[in-house]
Amino acid sequence: MSYSSLPEDVLEHVFSFVQSDKDRNVISLVCKSWYEIERWCRRRIFVGNCYAVSPRMAIRRFPEVRSVELKGKPHFADFNLVPEGWGGYVYPWIRAMAGGYPWLEELKLKRMVVTDESLELIAKSLKNFKVLVLSSCEGFSTHGLAAIAADCKNLKELDLWESDVEDPSGNWLSKFPDTCTSLVSLNIACLGSEVSFSALERLVVRCPNLRTLRLNRAVPLEKLAHLLRQAPQLVELGTGTYSADLRPDIFSNLAGAFSGCKELKSLSGFWDVVPAYLPAVYSVCSGLTTLNLSYATIQSPDLIKLVSQCPKLQCLWVLDYIEDSGLEALAATCKDLRELRVFPSEPFGDEPNVSLTEQGLVLVSEGCPKLESVLYFCRRMSNDALVTIAKNRPSMIRFRLCIIDPQTPDYLTLEPLDVGFGAIVQHCKDLRRLSLSGLLTDRVFEYIGTYAKKLEMLSVAFAGESDLGLHHVLSGCDSLRKLEIMDCPFGDKALLANAAKLETMRSLWMSSCSVSFEACKLLGQKMPRLNVEVIDESGPPDSRPELPVKKLYIYRTVTGRRIDMPGFVWNVGEDSALRLS
Amino acid sequence: MDFKETELCLGLPGGGNNKKDEAAALELTPTPKASNKRGFCETAVIDLKLNLQSKESSVDLNENFKNPPSNNKNHDKDPAKPSANKAQVVGWPPVRSYRKNAMAETAAFVKVCMDGAPYLRKVDLKTYKSYQELSDALAKMFSSFTMGNYGSQGMIDFMNESKLMDLLNSSDYVPTYEDKDGDWMLVGDVPWEMFVDSCKRMRIMKGSEAIGLAPRAMEKCKSRT
């Protein structure tokens, strides 16, 4: 019996074990019948750029999807580089899915503009809706959330990760009906004003499967103990404000409540921390795998005391208050550490305010054999340190280094940091994501193009000397999907010489570089399956053709130019002449 | 795909490390390094401190770019906060606005009650930038309440006794607050930032009831200047 004569339902059953999108895509290319069978049984789609495909096309090809994940704005939107109104609207998708995916269960959005209208449409049209994740989204208010709460009878997860939510006073949380007992995960940490505590408490009490609860800053510490006692089964907790008057009864109440939470693996929140209250969590430290202290303004000694009690820690997000000494303690205690993110407490200060240097990162790279993901803000670095880190941790997958002052050289030799980053890409053969900083010449890009064969995402700022740099990356990095560049002297030649490469990538962002409008037009005309978008808030870019374009966003798409571009975005395609006249 | 007009001739990387030769082959001259400090007008991430000496009580961001406040009388600059007029490069360092906002201030929650209303509200004063914004927000929360006109300077003019008396004799509601010293004051007597730092809680009462506060408030105000 050959594979092609296997009955459809057998094939479908086999395919159901294949979850990864990549593998599913490969399956669909085997033959026409496999394509057909596969598309009818695909249950989950991920669209990394919401403008790469139209909702209609997605629904037409995959009619039985239950879970959709979409991403909107380019990553640099996080740092205010994308003007308000650029796009990333989810409403057209929701309108299409209201009709096309009536049984949709999950919607995960990142960097998209979501309106109350969209949320209301979800609540009204999707009868089996269970999971809503809005990560770094904006454009909606608690009115929209009220609709979700009131009408999504089977809601399991509501996660507003770091979204910008308008918070007019209104008690949306109490719109969850008494019959709603299905919540498993609730993350409202980003909400600015207070929610009704009694509504929150009643919700927590009637949802026995609640595993994740991330509170917002407005929930006072005095009330946390009470909530914890109602939900001792929690696995992930985000505290509200972690400060209160120093009173022994509050402390003992809190410590007692925490000690009752035997399943707790993840802690976050800790806004406005009063260090005296930290020991209240000590009883759960031995089981913690994730600790997010990145908003906790506590100093190194307190951080050391805390971290030294968490031998099972796998993921730590912390401010640079931890200092080298804290990272040394981390390296000594947390042998299971996989991910470390150190954020700057004073990113805009001129002088270092903490004693955090390259040494801390070197120590962690030495002491933590499983370390694979790093985000590190610091003020000085050396090639030696980077080489050491690279040799210590060849299994590194994500390495994002931000030396706060642009173009800072090796502090020991005053050389560029080319050799250091070169060592990273040479030794870490599975590196998927890299962010560069410091003084860098074209040489670093030569190393990247030569060695970083698995690299998927590269972020570059204030680096390089000529188009050669960009050319190395575009011609050498075989797995490159996302490239984002700001303030680099890259111009037309490398871009045009590697035009075909751009179709193999999700997107390219270039701002404050040296790309001419003519080159953009040429690219747009030659590459019909790319959208070449020029962003310029001061006027039509062809009115000043001698100036380089300010911001350029190029992405592959099967649907042509988008129809929701604001006035400051120009798509320079084949009819660009018509568009601009 | 024919790219004759854009064809690059490149030497292999590593062979012949002479940058000049490579540059010549590319027919390029190295472009000057992109300036990493851009003009004041282009930066969008500036921590604006409201200067109540200026004419506007609400902030027009564009205006402030062109006419930065000249006497910045904002006191007690927290060294952790960025200085008001330092030009910052947009997009660098790569810190998310969410994080920047969260770190910039600690919250300042105060209880607000209104005479006659059966409920209390809590507001985070740090989410507002001016008395006008606070007023608008309170108006939404306590729908029968309007704070009246704060005038062009955003502050009650305490030096003008008759204006003050008019306000307090009207049947309008007037917001008052308890400051760090435990004194009850009329909202609007100090610059906004100072108010946020010293306000412990608020009570919105009828103007006629607040009259008793006015002389005390004026004394305190006079003793400050």
Side-chain angles (χ1 to χ4, degrees):
Chain A
M1 189 193 226
S2 75
Y3 286 120
S4 57
S5 59
L6 282 173
E8 255 183 49
D9 46 351
V10 173
L11 280 172
E12 197 179 305
H13 183 69
V14 171
F15 294 169
S16 70
F17 292 101
V18 179
Q19 298 294 340
S20 109
D21 288 337
K22 272 206 191 98
D23 294 340
R24 280 263 175 175
N25 291 345
V26 169
I27 285 175
S28 68
L29 292 173
V30 166
C31 63
K32 270 206 174 121
S33 68
W34 281 36
Y35 175 93
E36 276 302 307
I37 297 167
E38 193 284 317
R39 78 181 187 91
W40 278 95
C41 70
R42 188 156 335 189
R43 293 284 174 262
R44 153 189 314 269
I45 55 172
F46 167 76
V47 182
N49 173 7
C50 64
Y51 292 118
V53 65
S54 73
R56 211 171 49 87
M57 281 172 107
I59 294 172
R60 200 170 59 206
R61 177 167 170 195
F62 300 112
E64 295 289 332
V65 157
R66 296 281 180 271
S67 165
V68 172
E69 187 175 343
L70 300 173
K71 293 189 181 180
K73 300 184 208 176
H75 173 239
F76 271 177
D78 282 356
F79 315 127
N80 294 341
L81 282 167
V82 176
E84 186 94 9
W86 172 86
Y89 305 104
V90 79
Y91 187 74
W93 283 85
I94 296 186
R95 201 178 52 220
M97 291 189 295
Y101 290 153
W103 302 113
L104 190 75
E105 294 176 13
E106 297 186 357
L107 185 61
K108 300 181 183 175
L109 307 176
K110 188 166 187 180
R111 271 183 232 109
M112 295 199 78
V113 178
V114 181
T115 56
D116 286 346
E117 207 187 345
S118 306
L119 296 176
E120 283 152 14
L121 190 52
I122 290 173
K124 202 173 56 173
S125 323
L126 303 175
K127 294 303 168 198
N128 207 20
F129 196 66
K130 295 190 171 124
V131 172
L132 182 62
V133 177
L134 302 177
S135 173
S136 306
C137 294
E138 50 155 356
F140 62 103
S141 78
T142 46
H143 288 314
L145 296 179
I148 298 285
D151 296 329
C152 297
K153 308 263 180 271
N154 300 310
L155 197 68
K156 276 172 57 177
E157 186 174 337
L158 179 61
D159 184 342
L160 306 176
W161 175 261
E162 298 195 349
S163 287
D164 188 1
V165 186
E166 262 208 50
D167 225 338
S169 33
N171 207 349
W172 70 277
L173 206 62
S174 43
K175 298 291 190 286
F176 279 107
D178 291 337
T179 46
C180 171
T181 58
S182 49
L183 266 188
V184 172
S185 171
L186 180 65
N187 177 358
I188 55 168
C190 63
L191 292 185
S193 62
E194 58 169 333
V195 294
S196 152
F197 186 78
S198 55
L200 177 63
E201 190 192 345
R202 277 181 280 120
L203 186 60
V204 165
V205 164
R206 66 178 184 272
C207 293
N209 297 322
L210 194 66
R211 292 274 167 280
T212 299
L213 180 62
R214 309 254 187 222
L215 303 169
N216 65 337
R217 208 164 180 170
V219 176
L221 189 59
E222 297 91 337
K223 298 213 169 130
L224 180 61
H226 191 64
L227 269 181
L228 288 180
R229 289 188 203 279
Q230 316 282 7
Q233 79 283 4
L234 282 179
V235 175
E236 301 182 322
L237 171 72
T239 73
T241 212
Y242 207 77
S243 86
D245 295 334
L246 292 175
R247 277 171 37 195
D249 57 319
I250 298 183
F251 180 88
S252 57
N253 196 14
L254 189 61
F258 268 110
S259 64
C261 296
K262 310 282 186 206
E263 311 293 326
L264 218 43
K265 298 232 179 342
S266 163
L267 276 183
S268 65
F270 296 103
W271 310 93
D272 319 310
V273 177
V274 163
Y277 276 106
L278 280 174
V281 307
Y282 283 176
S283 60
V284 300
C285 284
S286 57
L288 283 185
T289 55
T290 303
L291 192 48
N292 183 352
L293 295 167
S294 64
Y295 297 102
T297 49
I298 41 177
Q299 304 302 318
S300 188
D302 294 310
L303 285 166
I304 290 176
K305 269 192 233 137
L306 191 53
V307 152
S308 305
Q309 305 198 44
C310 305
K312 290 202 184 143
L313 207 58
Q314 293 179 16
C315 176
L316 175 66
W317 292 18
V318 72
L319 286 169
D320 56 9
Y321 290 129
I322 195 168
E323 301 194 328
D324 291 341
S325 54
L327 293 176
E328 188 173 2
L330 181 70
T333 312
C334 304
K335 297 304 184 185
D336 229 11
L337 195 73
R338 293 161 210 213
E339 176 174 331
L340 173 66
R341 296 196 191 191
V342 179
F343 294 96
S345 51
E346 283 176 34
F348 303 109
D350 286 325
E351 299 296 320
N353 60 318
V354 290
S355 178
L356 179 106
T357 69
E358 81 286 0
Q359 281 314 305
L361 187 56
V362 170
L363 289 167
V364 175
S365 77
E366 273 161 11
C368 302
K370 297 195 190 157
L371 188 70
E372 62 178 22
S373 179
V374 167
L375 170 63
Y376 199 75
F377 281 80
C378 60
R379 289 185 185 264
R380 73 174 204 204
M381 187 49 62
S382 67
N383 282 307
D384 269 356
L386 285 171
V387 171
T388 304
I389 292 165
K391 288 183 173 164
N392 284 342
R393 295 276 69 84
S395 50
M396 190 79 72
I397 291 179
R398 281 170 228 104
F399 190 75
R400 298 156 70 186
L401 180 67
C402 178
I403 305 166
I404 289 177
D405 257 355
Q407 298 173 324
T408 304
D410 177 326
Y411 78 98
L412 294 168
T413 65
L414 299 184
E415 301 267 285
L417 290 170
D418 300 334
V419 166
F421 280 105
I424 294 280
V425 292
Q426 198 179 344
H427 291 276
C428 307
K429 302 200 192 306
D430 291 323
L431 195 70
R432 293 205 301 254
R433 184 167 178 181
L434 178 65
S435 299
L436 305 174
S437 57
L439 182 64
L440 297 164
T441 71
D442 285 346
R443 169 138 281 138
V444 73
F445 298 107
E446 197 180 313
Y447 291 134
I448 292 173
T450 306
Y451 294 110
K453 295 305 182 186
K454 299 265 177 73
L455 191 67
E456 296 179 5
M457 182 170 177
L458 179 65
S459 309
V460 186
F462 304 106
E465 303 156 296
S466 75
D467 269 52
L468 204 48
L470 181 57
H471 177 72
H472 283 311
V473 171
L474 289 177
S475 58
C477 295
D478 299 334
S479 311
L480 196 65
R481 292 190 298 113
K482 289 179 280 183
L483 179 57
E484 46 185 25
I485 302 173
M486 56 178 276
D487 293 75
C488 295
F490 300 146
D492 301 344
K493 300 209 175 206
L495 202 55
L496 292 172
N498 293 281
K501 171 73 172 176
L502 299 178
E503 260 191 27
T504 69
M505 293 165 53
R506 183 188 298 173
S507 65
L508 166 66
W509 169 279
M510 291 179 76
S511 55
S512 303
C513 296
S514 310
V515 180
S516 72
F517 182 67
E518 277 309 305
C520 294
K521 257 195 346 199
L522 192 58
L523 198 58
Q525 284 160 4
K526 298 273 185 198
M527 310 291 293
R529 286 189 300 191
L530 291 181
N531 274 350
V532 178
E533 292 183 6
V534 171
I535 300 170
D536 194 334
E537 290 171 280
S538 51
D542 63 338
S543 61
R544 283 146 309 140
E546 71 285 2
L547 292 177
V549 301
K550 294 206 176 112
K551 296 175 185 177
L552 175 61
Y553 185 51
I554 301 174
Y555 56 90
R556 67 178 175 186
T557 178
V558 293
T559 55
R561 63 170 58 228
R562 56 185 175 110
I563 54 172
D564 61 1
M565 287 185 294
F568 53 82
V569 177
W570 281 266
N571 181 312
V572 281
E574 64 286 317
D575 53 343
S576 58
L578 281 169
R579 170 89 164 84
L580 293 166
S581 61
Chain B
M1 221 136 326
D2 183 15
F3 281 94
K4 280 259 158 60
E5 64 262 47
T6 63
E7 222 166 86
L8 283 169
C9 311
L10 290 167
L12 283 172
N17 282 331
N18 194 330
K19 281 266 150 61
K20 281 213 192 96
D21 287 341
E22 287 172 343
L26 269 176
E27 294 164 299
L28 289 171
T29 48
T31 49
K33 285 204 174 94
S35 157
N36 60 357
K37 298 263 188 279
R38 267 169 276 139
F40 190 83
C41 292
E42 286 186 63
T43 54
V45 183
I46 290 201
D47 184 20
L48 290 169
K49 302 242 179 174
L50 292 179
N51 179 7
L52 288 166
Q53 261 65 45
S54 70
K55 297 258 170 72
E56 296 90 24
S57 61
S58 66
V59 180
D60 172 6
L61 279 177
N62 289 327
E63 265 311 300
N64 273 289
F65 277 129
K66 291 171 197 143
N67 308 302
S70 48
N71 10 327
N72 198 329
K73 278 210 179 158
N74 285 296
H75 318 267
D76 303 328
K77 272 210 184 97
D78 185 334
K81 292 185 197 153
S83 79
N85 292 325
K86 179 178 177 184
Q88 291 160 9
V89 176
V90 180
W92 193 266
V95 176
R96 298 198 51 221
S97 336
Y98 178 85
R99 179 166 292 282
K100 268 190 274 193
N101 296 338
M103 293 302 298
E105 336 263 354
T106 54
F109 281 102
V110 299
K111 284 191 186 149
V112 184
C113 66
M114 176 160 142
D115 287 0
Y119 52 90
L120 281 181
R121 303 307 305 250
K122 236 200 225 167
V123 294
D124 177 2
L125 293 177
K126 301 272 183 168
T127 59
Y128 309 111
K129 299 194 196 75
S130 67
Y131 285 115
Q132 196 57 56
E133 275 188 31
L134 175 63
S135 170
D136 292 342
L138 290 180
K140 284 195 192 130
M141 283 180 221
F142 299 95
S143 50
S144 57
F145 162 71
T146 47
M147 225 146 84
N149 188 3
Y150 267 90
S152 58
Q153 297 201 342
M155 285 163 50
I156 292 174
D157 185 359
F158 274 78
M159 296 302 120
N160 186 334
E161 244 183 87
S162 62
K163 247 198 208 164
L164 184 59
M165 282 310 156
D166 282 345
L167 177 64
L168 297 178
N169 279 322
S170 72
S171 60
D172 278 350
Y173 282 93
V174 158
T176 64
Y177 72 103
E178 184 181 2
D179 72 1
K180 276 187 190 150
D181 304 331
D183 294 326
W184 281 90
M185 314 284 291
L186 285 174
V187 169
D189 60 341
V190 295
W192 172 254
E193 296 262 337
M194 207 187 266
F195 166 72
V196 170
D197 279 339
S198 59
C199 172
K200 272 176 45 190
R201 60 189 153 126
M202 288 177 62
R203 181 178 152 207
I204 304 172
M205 59 177 84
K206 279 234 159 69
S208 44
E209 283 199 43
I211 283 185
L213 294 177
R216 267 213 327 266
M218 267 166 38
E219 265 170 41
K220 198 160 181 175
C221 185
K222 278 181 191 150
S223 72
R224 271 203 202 99
T225 52

